[in-house]
Amino acid sequence: MSSTTASPADLQAAWTQGTQALREGRHADAVRHFQPITASGQATAPVWVAVAIAEKGRGDARAALAALDQARALDPRDIRALIMTADHYRDAGDARAASSYYSAVVGVAVEAGAVEKGLEAEVGRAQHMREQYAAQYETQLRGALAGKGLDRPEARRAAKAVDLLTGKAELYLQQPKNFYFPELPNIEWAPREDFPWLDRLEAATDEIRDELKRVLEEDNAFAPYIEAEPDRPFFDDHGMLGNPNWSAFYLWKAGAPVAENAARFPRTMAALADAPLCKIPGRTPSILFSLLTPGAHIPPHHGFMNGRYIVHLPLIVPEGCAMRVGSETRPWVEGKACVFDDSIEHEAWNRNLERLRVVLIFDIWRPELSELEQDLIAATLQAVDDFGAG
């Protein structure tokens, strides 16, 4: 049968004979039957996969890989070709290549949403192999770094890089809702030791909590944290608009003191005397007590700008309370302040079904900003707010 004169009927017969030979384990015969199809230039990805199965069956791994290369050239997402290629590199001892192909199998399956009947188990095997290689990779990587200081506090960024490299952490970037200031470090949780003035605040935890308790005894002291502005459109995507499950009591709001409230918290305000509050007229600082009712969950969201950090001083924290910023989740600890960038996706929850969670919240300037940059940010946002004002 000449490859130049093979008719569609000839090619169909070759396919039928080749697949019959495969089923019967006659791999050399299968390769011979498939040859007219491949020589015709009309072979599809499934044909090349069949050729690869036959070549592997007769012990020619190099020819099997060549056939798989042809299949993937025609259809890069052919799961059978990807799995067989991964298995080839596994058998050859090339863990790095095998891992990449097993990962591709899982990625294609996830993207497709469903796989061809009969391939589910193979995709599951690919997932298992990917996880196995990932564990081996991490073990080797961390072994190579052992004794090099990765666990030291000053190696925090290098440790995070390794977590990202091994898939232990996911990359989250600053995505402020309103105003982005370029070239600020993308830091989820800022190191506590960078803010020595927090010592004074933490030392006053009991006094602040005592002042708070008197307000908690009042029925209507706290109001929902998310409130609609009558002159602005608002789309309640997260179900938090007017929701008392996340509520606040302000000492300062939108850059100005709430005089009556602040007067009731003299020790709290004194403890904040050294804080580099973010001051933008009409916007910041905000100083408030944030309350989460039992079982409440604040959905993932972003703050309005990345030129500030948010500080939490936990005051009342039952078991089951935590906050995720970017890829890292931390529980609150009463009396231990934490500092984070709220322009990075974050969420919080109180999974305790009996007790409230309350933290003191305020915003501070990012320490990387010069006084000139702080002034220019404030002036820029004031100009934004002044636009079209009646």
Side-chain angles (χ1 to χ4, degrees), residues 67-84:
L68 291 170
D69 290 342
Q70 293 284 351
R72 288 183 287 99
L74 290 169
D75 183 0
R77 289 177 168 76
D78 187 294
I79 288 183
R80 282 191 175 87
L82 289 169
I83 290 175
M84 289 187 66

Side-chain angles (χ1 to χ4, degrees), residues 79-80 83-84 87 90 102 105-106 115-116 118-129:
I79 288 183
R80 282 191 175 87
I83 290 175
M84 289 187 66
D87 289 343
R90 177 204 60 195
Y102 285 127
V105 171
V106 176
V115 297
E116 183 181 334
L119 285 179
E120 297 92 340
E122 286 292 271
V123 171
R125 182 172 66 85
Q127 172 70 25
H128 174 74
M129 292 301 301

Side-chain angles (χ1 to χ4, degrees), residues 78-118:
D78 187 294
I79 288 183
R80 282 191 175 87
L82 289 169
I83 290 175
M84 289 187 66
T85 304
D87 289 343
H88 169 87
Y89 285 115
R90 177 204 60 195
D91 295 342
D94 189 338
R96 191 168 181 177
S99 174
S100 68
Y101 276 101
Y102 285 127
S103 294
V105 171
V106 176
V108 169
V110 170
E111 180 182 319
V115 297
E116 183 181 334
K117 187 175 180 180

Side-chain angles (χ1 to χ4, degrees), residues 318-339:
E319 290 186 7
C321 294
M323 182 174 185
R324 177 186 65 83
V325 181
S327 61
E328 184 177 353
T329 299
R330 296 184 181 183
W332 288 285
V333 178
E334 290 184 5
K336 300 296 183 182
C338 52
V339 183

